[in-house]
Amino acid sequence: MKQVTISNTFMTLMVLDYGATIQKLLLKGKDGSYTNVVVGYNHPSRYLLDENILGASVGRYAGRISKGGFDLDREKFFLHQQEGVHLHGGKEGFHQKFWNIEEVNTKENPHVKLSYKSKHLEEGYPGNLTVNVTYRLMSNALQIVYEGVTDRSTVVNLTNHSYFKLDSNPYIDDCELQLNCPYLLETKENLLPTGDIIPVRKTELDFLLSKEIGVKRLDTVFIKDTGSEKVGELHSNLSGISMKVYSNQPAVVVYTPPDFPGICFENQNYPDAPNQPDFPNSILRPGEIYNNISIFKFDIEQ
């Protein structure tokens, strides 16, 4: 397993080739000390046994797909499923693959670029798909860019699965969360979308104004305000660290796991879009370029 480290004045990023995984993101404080703002393992080999997809790149389709597959151009494609749900790319998604390290730049706006080639019918998906991810440090922000091209029409939905944790608390309940997301996708008990879109205002999932996350665990598809790139903001009163999230994607899955502290902002298309004609298009055709851009910008109170 290979590990790459890049740094600038404000941050240090450690990336693994396995799963194109963010292992550590160290934020420099006012006193010169560093805070790791993502959940991860110290030893890279631990990721081979990880079931939480810590910091990894998820694909070929992040989120859930129903019906054991999807129809595309009058052809049915069958996907791996458990209890009627296909999740995060299948039995062995992109987060369980070794990616190639293509570029490492340690100078101005340092970045590392990794790539993976997914063969036709890998996990049941059509087309030879080539994807890459670029992690770039831009002052006090981390930019993540996913791109993809295919030789045959397919469906694509990539995301990063980092769990952010801004302080040393053994829980995340006291962190304040604000989401620029006026709607969410209604889901069934198995978390597959019903197809309905629900306003969040005056519900327990209303984070339009900043409030504590609380004890309720989230695994929710929020729909971003179409008029803004900003997804939302996370703030810790304990550490004074804030993180603003930006994305060019229509939705974000906000996930707070039940068994350890952390919060995911999975910027992506809607789950099950291949089977929901009213959802945003998830089809990538030959000659097109899939593009998913996220920015995580950090600030520390004086």
Side-chain angles (χ1 to χ4, degrees):
M1 192 179 300
K2 297 177 181 177
Q3 182 190 70
V4 175
T5 301
I6 56 174
S7 300
N8 67 7
T9 304
F10 301 96
M11 294 186 291
T12 295
L13 174 69
M14 300 173 68
V15 174
L16 303 176
D17 63 342
Y18 181 72
T21 296
I22 293 176
Q23 182 187 12
K24 293 184 179 182
L25 181 60
L26 304 172
L27 181 67
K28 189 175 182 179
K30 305 292 185 182
D31 60 356
S33 64
Y34 284 87
T35 300
N36 184 17
V37 293
V38 297
V39 180
Y41 301 114
N42 286 324
H43 299 289
S45 60
R46 285 290 307 277
Y47 287 87
L48 295 172
L49 303 175
D50 174 49
E51 296 182 353
N52 295 299
I53 321 182
L54 296 181
S57 295
V58 180
R60 182 175 299 197
Y61 202 96
R64 290 164 171 78
I65 294 178
S66 66
K67 301 178 182 178
F70 58 90
D71 294 309
L72 179 59
D73 296 338
R74 301 180 184 178
E75 187 172 354
K76 176 76 173 183
F77 294 95
F78 297 94
L79 306 176
H80 175 267
Q81 58 178 318
Q82 288 185 305
E83 299 179 355
V85 178
H86 172 84
L87 177 63
H88 286 339
K91 192 173 183 180
E92 293 185 1
F94 290 1
H95 61 285
Q96 295 171 286
K97 306 294 186 182
F98 283 92
W99 293 50
N100 292 317
I101 299 172
E102 300 288 349
E103 298 176 17
V104 180
N105 176 19
T106 59
K107 299 180 181 179
E108 186 177 359
N109 289 333
H111 71 266
V112 53
K113 182 177 182 179
L114 304 96
S115 69
Y116 177 69
K117 294 182 179 179
S118 176
K119 294 182 179 180
H120 175 57
L121 294 183
E122 179 179 290
E123 294 289 343
Y125 289 93
N128 293 295
L129 176 71
T130 299
V131 297
N132 59 63
V133 57
T134 302
Y135 297 113
R136 179 175 282 106
L137 300 180
M138 301 170 15
S139 184
N140 58 334
L142 169 65
Q143 181 193 61
I144 304 175
V145 179
Y146 288 101
E147 296 176 309
V149 293
T150 183
D151 64 356
R152 174 173 171 167
S153 294
T154 189
V155 297
V156 182
N157 189 33
L158 307 180
T159 197
N160 182 268
H161 210 271
S162 288
Y163 293 81
F164 292 93
K165 187 174 184 299
L166 305 184
D167 56 40
S168 59
N169 265 341
Y171 46 83
I172 200 168
D173 309 11
D174 291 347
C175 279
E176 295 181 2
L177 176 65
Q178 186 272 328
L179 294 173
N180 194 26
C181 302
Y183 299 94
L184 58 81
L185 286 187
E186 183 183 59
T187 55
K188 308 171 189 175
E189 287 187 5
N190 61 4
L191 297 181
L192 283 170
T194 65
D196 291 336
I197 295 174
I198 307 296
V200 301
R201 192 173 297 278
K202 296 184 179 179
T203 72
E204 63 177 350
L205 295 173
D206 182 355
F207 289 95
L208 291 169
L209 299 177
S210 182
K211 68 178 183 180
E212 290 186 353
I213 294 173
V215 297
K216 179 179 175 59
R217 300 283 73 102
L218 303 173
D219 195 350
T220 308
V221 185
F222 289 94
I223 299 174
K224 194 184 68 178
D225 185 345
T226 56
S228 173
E229 293 284 289
K230 186 177 179 182
V231 175
E233 185 169 354
L234 183 69
H235 175 74
S236 166
N237 288 313
L238 178 64
S239 67
I241 297 174
S242 294
M243 180 181 75
K244 296 182 176 70
V245 183
Y246 302 86
S247 167
N248 69 344
Q249 298 297 292
V252 58
V253 177
V254 178
Y255 177 51
T256 54
D259 49 352
F260 66 90
I263 181 170
C264 285
F265 294 88
E266 304 169 47
N267 298 314
Q268 59 180 275
N269 196 356
Y270 296 11
D272 206 31
N275 291 314
Q276 301 271 2
D278 293 333
F279 284 4
N281 173 56
S282 63
I283 300 172
L284 182 69
R285 307 259 183 208
E288 298 176 343
I289 299 176
Y290 173 85
N291 183 256
N292 178 331
I293 302 174
S294 297
I295 295 174
F296 301 88
K297 183 177 181 180
F298 297 89
D299 292 293
I300 303 177
E301 291 176 349
Q302 297 286 351

